Amino acid sequence: MLSVAWSPNGTHLAITHDNGTVDIWNPAAGTLVRTLEDRTGRVCSVAWSPDGTRLATGGYDVTHIWNTATGTLAHTLEGHSGWIYSVAWSPDGTHLATGSDDGTVRIWNPTTGDLVHILEDVTDWVRAVAWSPDGTHLATAGNDRGVRIWDSATYSLLGTLLPLPDGSAAFGPDGMTYKFTGSPSGRFWWTIGLCTFAPGELDPYIPEIRRVPYDSPLSALISSPSGQEEA
């Protein structure tokens, strides 16, 4: 078993397996309702649509959308070039986000099956995707242990959050503006691909790099084109 997900009304449970099947259970009765044959090998992720009428499953390079009433396949979403480790419906059910080890997050229209947008992450693997409850933001997490916050209307990167062994850090979308508290412990620049530099070491040499107070809002990490903090 690789992934489990409750239906929105709690009456059904979807369980994925590495043999390419997805089992739909009635947990109250303890009975198997239906088995979906994905046929693409291991199924890594599963998510119900907010209204419970559709089920999204992610495997190797394809995402399937199923009609939960009939068990029939509605759409096959193709475009990823690796395993799809996370699928997430927007709260209103109009969009589906898929995160893959190909380093991208793809946004789909699950009704038509059309690709809406591709988010290029800087990490090798995207392990998890999640929409905010109001649908205005999307969070993605990857192998660099950073969590990226995206504006779902513009698909622009708002900032990157990074837990530290003794504290935490946040970066602006260009990686130049940052804030942190605690000890970086050698992980600070890894999230933006500068593995060998410590906090503050590059600041005197690259004007665009700047540190802001730790209690600053995420919007303070967005630099102006000149590299100076906007008024």
Side-chain angles (χ1 to χ4, degrees):
M1 298 180 186
L2 299 176
S3 181
V4 296
W6 289 91
S7 62
N9 62 5
T11 61
H12 292 82
L13 185 69
I15 302 174
T16 72
H17 303 276
D18 59 7
N19 65 356
T21 63
V22 181
D23 291 334
I24 309 298
W25 290 83
N26 179 330
T31 56
L32 179 63
V33 177
R34 180 179 291 110
T35 296
L36 307 177
E37 298 287 344
D38 193 272
R39 301 184 186 280
T40 59
R42 178 181 301 174
V43 182
C44 297
S45 53
V46 61
W48 298 80
S49 63
D51 61 4
T53 63
R54 293 171 291 177
L55 190 72
T57 59
Y60 185 77
D61 74 20
V62 298
T63 301
H64 287 151
I65 297 179
W66 307 84
N67 182 312
T68 57
T70 63
T72 56
L73 183 62
H75 291 291
T76 297
L77 311 180
E78 298 180 288
H80 281 295
S81 60
W83 290 102
I84 299 166
Y85 283 103
S86 183
V87 293
W89 295 81
S90 62
D92 61 4
T94 61
H95 292 82
L96 182 75
T98 57
S100 169
D101 63 7
D102 64 9
T104 68
V105 176
R106 293 174 183 258
I107 311 298
W108 308 85
N109 180 327
T111 301
T112 64
D114 293 333
L115 177 65
V116 177
H117 197 80
I118 300 176
L119 304 178
E120 298 284 349
D121 210 321
V122 299
T123 185
D124 290 335
W125 289 11
V126 179
R127 293 284 193 175
V129 293
W131 298 83
S132 63
D134 62 3
T136 60
H137 296 86
L138 184 69
T140 64
N143 265 12
D144 62 5
R145 301 184 184 180
V147 176
R148 287 167 177 77
I149 309 297
W150 307 81
D151 185 314
S152 62
T154 63
Y155 301 110
S156 58
L157 179 63
L158 300 178
T160 301
L161 313 179
L162 178 67
L164 300 173
D166 179 22
S168 60
F171 302 90
D174 59 2
M176 295 296 183
T177 306
Y178 67 95
K179 63 179 184 177
F180 79 95
T181 184
S183 173
S185 302
R187 289 173 47 194
F188 192 84
W189 292 105
W190 181 29
T191 298
I192 57 171
L194 298 175
C195 304
T196 60
F197 298 97
E201 186 174 348
L202 293 179
D203 296 27
Y205 309 103
I206 303 179
E208 291 80 8
I209 296 180
R210 63 194 178 95
R211 180 180 179 182
V212 299
Y214 185 72
D215 59 357
S216 300
L218 197 63
S219 59
L221 298 175
I222 301 177
S223 302
S224 64
S226 65
Q228 300 300 315
E229 186 172 357
E230 297 178 352

PDB file of all heavy atoms in Angstrom, residues 89-116:
ATOM      1  N   TRP A  89      -6.320  18.231  -5.462  1.00  0.00           N
ATOM      2  CA  TRP A  89      -7.384  19.016  -6.082  1.00  0.00           C
ATOM      3  C   TRP A  89      -7.452  20.393  -5.437  1.00  0.00           C
ATOM      4  O   TRP A  89      -7.260  20.544  -4.229  1.00  0.00           O
ATOM      5  CB  TRP A  89      -8.734  18.335  -5.881  1.00  0.00           C
ATOM      6  CG  TRP A  89      -8.886  17.012  -6.557  1.00  0.00           C
ATOM      7  CD1 TRP A  89      -8.435  15.810  -6.107  1.00  0.00           C
ATOM      8  CD2 TRP A  89      -9.530  16.757  -7.809  1.00  0.00           C
ATOM      9  NE1 TRP A  89      -8.759  14.817  -6.996  1.00  0.00           N
ATOM     10  CE2 TRP A  89      -9.440  15.370  -8.058  1.00  0.00           C
ATOM     11  CE3 TRP A  89     -10.189  17.568  -8.743  1.00  0.00           C
ATOM     12  CZ2 TRP A  89      -9.979  14.774  -9.190  1.00  0.00           C
ATOM     13  CZ3 TRP A  89     -10.737  16.977  -9.879  1.00  0.00           C
ATOM     14  CH2 TRP A  89     -10.615  15.603 -10.089  1.00  0.00           C
ATOM     15  N   SER A  90      -7.744  21.411  -6.242  1.00  0.00           N
ATOM     16  CA  SER A  90      -8.028  22.724  -5.672  1.00  0.00           C
ATOM     17  C   SER A  90      -9.348  22.633  -4.903  1.00  0.00           C
ATOM     18  O   SER A  90     -10.176  21.760  -5.186  1.00  0.00           O
ATOM     19  CB  SER A  90      -8.120  23.780  -6.773  1.00  0.00           C
ATOM     20  OG  SER A  90      -9.184  23.494  -7.675  1.00  0.00           O
ATOM     21  N   PRO A  91      -9.567  23.504  -3.921  1.00  0.00           N
ATOM     22  CA  PRO A  91     -10.779  23.401  -3.102  1.00  0.00           C
ATOM     23  C   PRO A  91     -12.082  23.460  -3.890  1.00  0.00           C
ATOM     24  O   PRO A  91     -13.082  22.859  -3.483  1.00  0.00           O
ATOM     25  CB  PRO A  91     -10.651  24.597  -2.148  1.00  0.00           C
ATOM     26  CG  PRO A  91      -9.185  24.832  -2.040  1.00  0.00           C
ATOM     27  CD  PRO A  91      -8.639  24.530  -3.403  1.00  0.00           C
ATOM     28  N   ASP A  92     -12.083  24.171  -5.026  1.00  0.00           N
ATOM     29  CA  ASP A  92     -13.308  24.243  -5.819  1.00  0.00           C
ATOM     30  C   ASP A  92     -13.388  23.151  -6.882  1.00  0.00           C
ATOM     31  O   ASP A  92     -14.362  23.099  -7.648  1.00  0.00           O
ATOM     32  CB  ASP A  92     -13.456  25.626  -6.463  1.00  0.00           C
ATOM     33  CG  ASP A  92     -12.312  25.956  -7.421  1.00  0.00           C
ATOM     34  OD1 ASP A  92     -11.437  25.089  -7.645  1.00  0.00           O
ATOM     35  OD2 ASP A  92     -12.289  27.093  -7.938  1.00  0.00           O
ATOM     36  N   GLY A  93     -12.368  22.296  -6.968  1.00  0.00           N
ATOM     37  CA  GLY A  93     -12.388  21.182  -7.889  1.00  0.00           C
ATOM     38  C   GLY A  93     -12.109  21.519  -9.340  1.00  0.00           C
ATOM     39  O   GLY A  93     -12.216  20.651 -10.206  1.00  0.00           O
ATOM     40  N   THR A  94     -11.715  22.768  -9.621  1.00  0.00           N
ATOM     41  CA  THR A  94     -11.498  23.184 -11.008  1.00  0.00           C
ATOM     42  C   THR A  94     -10.079  22.925 -11.493  1.00  0.00           C
ATOM     43  O   THR A  94      -9.815  23.002 -12.691  1.00  0.00           O
ATOM     44  CB  THR A  94     -11.811  24.674 -11.194  1.00  0.00           C
ATOM     45  OG1 THR A  94     -10.934  25.448 -10.357  1.00  0.00           O
ATOM     46  CG2 THR A  94     -13.265  24.972 -10.820  1.00  0.00           C
ATOM     47  N   HIS A  95      -9.157  22.656 -10.574  1.00  0.00           N
ATOM     48  CA  HIS A  95      -7.767  22.418 -10.954  1.00  0.00           C
ATOM     49  C   HIS A  95      -7.212  21.224 -10.182  1.00  0.00           C
ATOM     50  O   HIS A  95      -7.655  20.916  -9.071  1.00  0.00           O
ATOM     51  CB  HIS A  95      -6.894  23.648 -10.694  1.00  0.00           C
ATOM     52  CG  HIS A  95      -7.204  24.809 -11.582  1.00  0.00           C
ATOM     53  ND1 HIS A  95      -8.233  25.675 -11.323  1.00  0.00           N
ATOM     54  CD2 HIS A  95      -6.639  25.234 -12.750  1.00  0.00           C
ATOM     55  CE1 HIS A  95      -8.289  26.595 -12.282  1.00  0.00           C
ATOM     56  NE2 HIS A  95      -7.340  26.342 -13.157  1.00  0.00           N
ATOM     57  N   LEU A  96      -6.223  20.585 -10.788  1.00  0.00           N
ATOM     58  CA  LEU A  96      -5.535  19.471 -10.159  1.00  0.00           C
ATOM     59  C   LEU A  96      -4.036  19.727 -10.282  1.00  0.00           C
ATOM     60  O   LEU A  96      -3.533  20.021 -11.373  1.00  0.00           O
ATOM     61  CB  LEU A  96      -5.884  18.148 -10.834  1.00  0.00           C
ATOM     62  CG  LEU A  96      -5.248  16.893 -10.230  1.00  0.00           C
ATOM     63  CD1 LEU A  96      -5.943  16.524  -8.920  1.00  0.00           C
ATOM     64  CD2 LEU A  96      -5.307  15.726 -11.209  1.00  0.00           C
ATOM     65  N   ALA A  97      -3.323  19.634  -9.166  1.00  0.00           N
ATOM     66  CA  ALA A  97      -1.865  19.798  -9.159  1.00  0.00           C
ATOM     67  C   ALA A  97      -1.211  18.436  -9.008  1.00  0.00           C
ATOM     68  O   ALA A  97      -1.651  17.612  -8.196  1.00  0.00           O
ATOM     69  CB  ALA A  97      -1.433  20.717  -8.024  1.00  0.00           C
ATOM     70  N   THR A  98      -0.172  18.181  -9.796  1.00  0.00           N
ATOM     71  CA  THR A  98       0.567  16.922  -9.716  1.00  0.00           C
ATOM     72  C   THR A  98       2.048  17.222  -9.553  1.00  0.00           C
ATOM     73  O   THR A  98       2.613  18.026 -10.294  1.00  0.00           O
ATOM     74  CB  THR A  98       0.349  16.068 -10.983  1.00  0.00           C
ATOM     75  OG1 THR A  98       0.744  16.809 -12.155  1.00  0.00           O
ATOM     76  CG2 THR A  98      -1.118  15.681 -11.127  1.00  0.00           C
ATOM     77  N   GLY A  99       2.679  16.589  -8.576  1.00  0.00           N
ATOM     78  CA  GLY A  99       4.100  16.789  -8.323  1.00  0.00           C
ATOM     79  C   GLY A  99       4.886  15.534  -8.634  1.00  0.00           C
ATOM     80  O   GLY A  99       4.484  14.430  -8.266  1.00  0.00           O
ATOM     81  N   SER A 100       6.033  15.694  -9.316  1.00  0.00           N
ATOM     82  CA  SER A 100       6.771  14.543  -9.827  1.00  0.00           C
ATOM     83  C   SER A 100       8.254  14.632  -9.496  1.00  0.00           C
ATOM     84  O   SER A 100       8.784  15.714  -9.200  1.00  0.00           O
ATOM     85  CB  SER A 100       6.587  14.450 -11.342  1.00  0.00           C
ATOM     86  OG  SER A 100       7.466  13.523 -11.938  1.00  0.00           O
ATOM     87  N   ASP A 101       8.939  13.478  -9.606  1.00  0.00           N
ATOM     88  CA  ASP A 101      10.382  13.491  -9.411  1.00  0.00           C
ATOM     89  C   ASP A 101      11.127  14.024 -10.640  1.00  0.00           C
ATOM     90  O   ASP A 101      12.347  14.027 -10.676  1.00  0.00           O
ATOM     91  CB  ASP A 101      10.912  12.103  -9.017  1.00  0.00           C
ATOM     92  CG  ASP A 101      10.700  11.044 -10.084  1.00  0.00           C
ATOM     93  OD1 ASP A 101      10.269  11.382 -11.196  1.00  0.00           O
ATOM     94  OD2 ASP A 101      10.979   9.856  -9.801  1.00  0.00           O
ATOM     95  N   ASP A 102      10.377  14.499 -11.654  1.00  0.00           N
ATOM     96  CA  ASP A 102      11.030  15.187 -12.769  1.00  0.00           C
ATOM     97  C   ASP A 102      11.300  16.648 -12.441  1.00  0.00           C
ATOM     98  O   ASP A 102      11.793  17.407 -13.284  1.00  0.00           O
ATOM     99  CB  ASP A 102      10.209  15.062 -14.063  1.00  0.00           C
ATOM    100  CG  ASP A 102       8.843  15.745 -13.987  1.00  0.00           C
ATOM    101  OD1 ASP A 102       8.574  16.458 -13.004  1.00  0.00           O
ATOM    102  OD2 ASP A 102       8.039  15.552 -14.920  1.00  0.00           O
ATOM    103  N   GLY A 103      10.967  17.075 -11.204  1.00  0.00           N
ATOM    104  CA  GLY A 103      11.250  18.431 -10.760  1.00  0.00           C
ATOM    105  C   GLY A 103      10.206  19.456 -11.156  1.00  0.00           C
ATOM    106  O   GLY A 103      10.450  20.655 -11.009  1.00  0.00           O
ATOM    107  N   THR A 104       9.045  19.022 -11.617  1.00  0.00           N
ATOM    108  CA  THR A 104       8.000  19.972 -12.005  1.00  0.00           C
ATOM    109  C   THR A 104       6.700  19.685 -11.265  1.00  0.00           C
ATOM    110  O   THR A 104       6.453  18.572 -10.804  1.00  0.00           O
ATOM    111  CB  THR A 104       7.711  19.922 -13.520  1.00  0.00           C
ATOM    112  OG1 THR A 104       7.102  18.673 -13.855  1.00  0.00           O
ATOM    113  CG2 THR A 104       8.984  20.107 -14.332  1.00  0.00           C
ATOM    114  N   VAL A 105       5.891  20.727 -11.191  1.00  0.00           N
ATOM    115  CA  VAL A 105       4.508  20.618 -10.723  1.00  0.00           C
ATOM    116  C   VAL A 105       3.628  21.060 -11.878  1.00  0.00           C
ATOM    117  O   VAL A 105       3.823  22.155 -12.431  1.00  0.00           O
ATOM    118  CB  VAL A 105       4.257  21.501  -9.495  1.00  0.00           C
ATOM    119  CG1 VAL A 105       2.789  21.448  -9.085  1.00  0.00           C
ATOM    120  CG2 VAL A 105       5.145  21.074  -8.333  1.00  0.00           C
ATOM    121  N   ARG A 106       2.693  20.240 -12.259  1.00  0.00           N
ATOM    122  CA  ARG A 106       1.809  20.568 -13.373  1.00  0.00           C
ATOM    123  C   ARG A 106       0.402  20.830 -12.864  1.00  0.00           C
ATOM    124  O   ARG A 106      -0.093  20.123 -11.993  1.00  0.00           O
ATOM    125  CB  ARG A 106       1.813  19.447 -14.423  1.00  0.00           C
ATOM    126  CG  ARG A 106       3.170  19.323 -15.110  1.00  0.00           C
ATOM    127  CD  ARG A 106       3.269  18.142 -16.055  1.00  0.00           C
ATOM    128  NE  ARG A 106       4.618  18.079 -16.602  1.00  0.00           N
ATOM    129  CZ  ARG A 106       4.974  18.493 -17.829  1.00  0.00           C
ATOM    130  NH1 ARG A 106       4.046  18.969 -18.640  1.00  0.00           N
ATOM    131  NH2 ARG A 106       6.221  18.421 -18.240  1.00  0.00           N
ATOM    132  N   ILE A 107      -0.197  21.883 -13.411  1.00  0.00           N
ATOM    133  CA  ILE A 107      -1.554  22.261 -13.055  1.00  0.00           C
ATOM    134  C   ILE A 107      -2.461  21.902 -14.223  1.00  0.00           C
ATOM    135  O   ILE A 107      -2.216  22.318 -15.364  1.00  0.00           O
ATOM    136  CB  ILE A 107      -1.661  23.770 -12.755  1.00  0.00           C
ATOM    137  CG1 ILE A 107      -0.553  24.219 -11.775  1.00  0.00           C
ATOM    138  CG2 ILE A 107      -3.043  24.106 -12.200  1.00  0.00           C
ATOM    139  CD1 ILE A 107      -0.609  23.564 -10.434  1.00  0.00           C
ATOM    140  N   TRP A 108      -3.520  21.135 -13.936  1.00  0.00           N
ATOM    141  CA  TRP A 108      -4.400  20.627 -14.978  1.00  0.00           C
ATOM    142  C   TRP A 108      -5.828  21.119 -14.775  1.00  0.00           C
ATOM    143  O   TRP A 108      -6.230  21.445 -13.651  1.00  0.00           O
ATOM    144  CB  TRP A 108      -4.424  19.097 -14.952  1.00  0.00           C
ATOM    145  CG  TRP A 108      -3.097  18.432 -14.976  1.00  0.00           C
ATOM    146  CD1 TRP A 108      -2.294  18.178 -13.894  1.00  0.00           C
ATOM    147  CD2 TRP A 108      -2.404  17.920 -16.123  1.00  0.00           C
ATOM    148  NE1 TRP A 108      -1.151  17.535 -14.299  1.00  0.00           N
ATOM    149  CE2 TRP A 108      -1.182  17.360 -15.653  1.00  0.00           C
ATOM    150  CE3 TRP A 108      -2.699  17.873 -17.488  1.00  0.00           C
ATOM    151  CZ2 TRP A 108      -0.270  16.761 -16.504  1.00  0.00           C
ATOM    152  CZ3 TRP A 108      -1.788  17.279 -18.348  1.00  0.00           C
ATOM    153  CH2 TRP A 108      -0.586  16.730 -17.855  1.00  0.00           C
ATOM    154  N   ASN A 109      -6.568  21.134 -15.879  1.00  0.00           N
ATOM    155  CA  ASN A 109      -8.022  21.267 -15.812  1.00  0.00           C
ATOM    156  C   ASN A 109      -8.576  19.848 -15.809  1.00  0.00           C
ATOM    157  O   ASN A 109      -8.558  19.175 -16.843  1.00  0.00           O
ATOM    158  CB  ASN A 109      -8.558  22.050 -17.013  1.00  0.00           C
ATOM    159  CG  ASN A 109     -10.067  22.220 -16.986  1.00  0.00           C
ATOM    160  OD1 ASN A 109     -10.805  21.359 -16.514  1.00  0.00           O
ATOM    161  ND2 ASN A 109     -10.540  23.342 -17.501  1.00  0.00           N
ATOM    162  N   PRO A 110      -9.048  19.335 -14.683  1.00  0.00           N
ATOM    163  CA  PRO A 110      -9.460  17.928 -14.605  1.00  0.00           C
ATOM    164  C   PRO A 110     -10.746  17.621 -15.358  1.00  0.00           C
ATOM    165  O   PRO A 110     -11.037  16.451 -15.622  1.00  0.00           O
ATOM    166  CB  PRO A 110      -9.636  17.702 -13.101  1.00  0.00           C
ATOM    167  CG  PRO A 110      -9.978  19.044 -12.567  1.00  0.00           C
ATOM    168  CD  PRO A 110      -9.214  20.029 -13.401  1.00  0.00           C
ATOM    169  N   THR A 111     -11.494  18.646 -15.723  1.00  0.00           N
ATOM    170  CA  THR A 111     -12.729  18.426 -16.470  1.00  0.00           C
ATOM    171  C   THR A 111     -12.445  18.165 -17.947  1.00  0.00           C
ATOM    172  O   THR A 111     -13.046  17.279 -18.573  1.00  0.00           O
ATOM    173  CB  THR A 111     -13.670  19.631 -16.330  1.00  0.00           C
ATOM    174  OG1 THR A 111     -13.968  19.826 -14.940  1.00  0.00           O
ATOM    175  CG2 THR A 111     -14.966  19.412 -17.090  1.00  0.00           C
ATOM    176  N   THR A 112     -11.499  18.920 -18.506  1.00  0.00           N
ATOM    177  CA  THR A 112     -11.152  18.762 -19.925  1.00  0.00           C
ATOM    178  C   THR A 112      -9.911  17.906 -20.134  1.00  0.00           C
ATOM    179  O   THR A 112      -9.680  17.416 -21.243  1.00  0.00           O
ATOM    180  CB  THR A 112     -10.911  20.131 -20.566  1.00  0.00           C
ATOM    181  OG1 THR A 112      -9.768  20.754 -19.950  1.00  0.00           O
ATOM    182  CG2 THR A 112     -12.125  21.034 -20.381  1.00  0.00           C
ATOM    183  N   GLY A 113      -9.089  17.785 -19.089  1.00  0.00           N
ATOM    184  CA  GLY A 113      -7.821  17.068 -19.218  1.00  0.00           C
ATOM    185  C   GLY A 113      -6.702  17.914 -19.772  1.00  0.00           C
ATOM    186  O   GLY A 113      -5.611  17.405 -20.051  1.00  0.00           O
ATOM    187  N   ASP A 114      -6.932  19.223 -19.921  1.00  0.00           N
ATOM    188  CA  ASP A 114      -5.928  20.114 -20.502  1.00  0.00           C
ATOM    189  C   ASP A 114      -4.892  20.542 -19.467  1.00  0.00           C
ATOM    190  O   ASP A 114      -5.209  20.732 -18.278  1.00  0.00           O
ATOM    191  CB  ASP A 114      -6.591  21.369 -21.075  1.00  0.00           C
ATOM    192  CG  ASP A 114      -7.476  21.075 -22.274  1.00  0.00           C
ATOM    193  OD1 ASP A 114      -7.198  20.066 -22.962  1.00  0.00           O
ATOM    194  OD2 ASP A 114      -8.433  21.830 -22.510  1.00  0.00           O
ATOM    195  N   LEU A 115      -3.651  20.702 -19.921  1.00  0.00           N
ATOM    196  CA  LEU A 115      -2.585  21.243 -19.078  1.00  0.00           C
ATOM    197  C   LEU A 115      -2.734  22.760 -19.011  1.00  0.00           C
ATOM    198  O   LEU A 115      -2.821  23.432 -20.042  1.00  0.00           O
ATOM    199  CB  LEU A 115      -1.221  20.869 -19.654  1.00  0.00           C
ATOM    200  CG  LEU A 115       0.007  21.421 -18.926  1.00  0.00           C
ATOM    201  CD1 LEU A 115       0.107  20.849 -17.521  1.00  0.00           C
ATOM    202  CD2 LEU A 115       1.277  21.115 -19.718  1.00  0.00           C
ATOM    203  N   VAL A 116      -2.752  23.315 -17.807  1.00  0.00           N
ATOM    204  CA  VAL A 116      -2.931  24.749 -17.604  1.00  0.00           C
ATOM    205  C   VAL A 116      -1.593  25.457 -17.430  1.00  0.00           C
ATOM    206  O   VAL A 116      -1.358  26.505 -18.031  1.00  0.00           O
ATOM    207  CB  VAL A 116      -3.829  25.014 -16.379  1.00  0.00           C
ATOM    208  CG1 VAL A 116      -3.969  26.504 -16.110  1.00  0.00           C
ATOM    209  CG2 VAL A 116      -5.195  24.382 -16.578  1.00  0.00           C
TER     210      VAL A 116
END
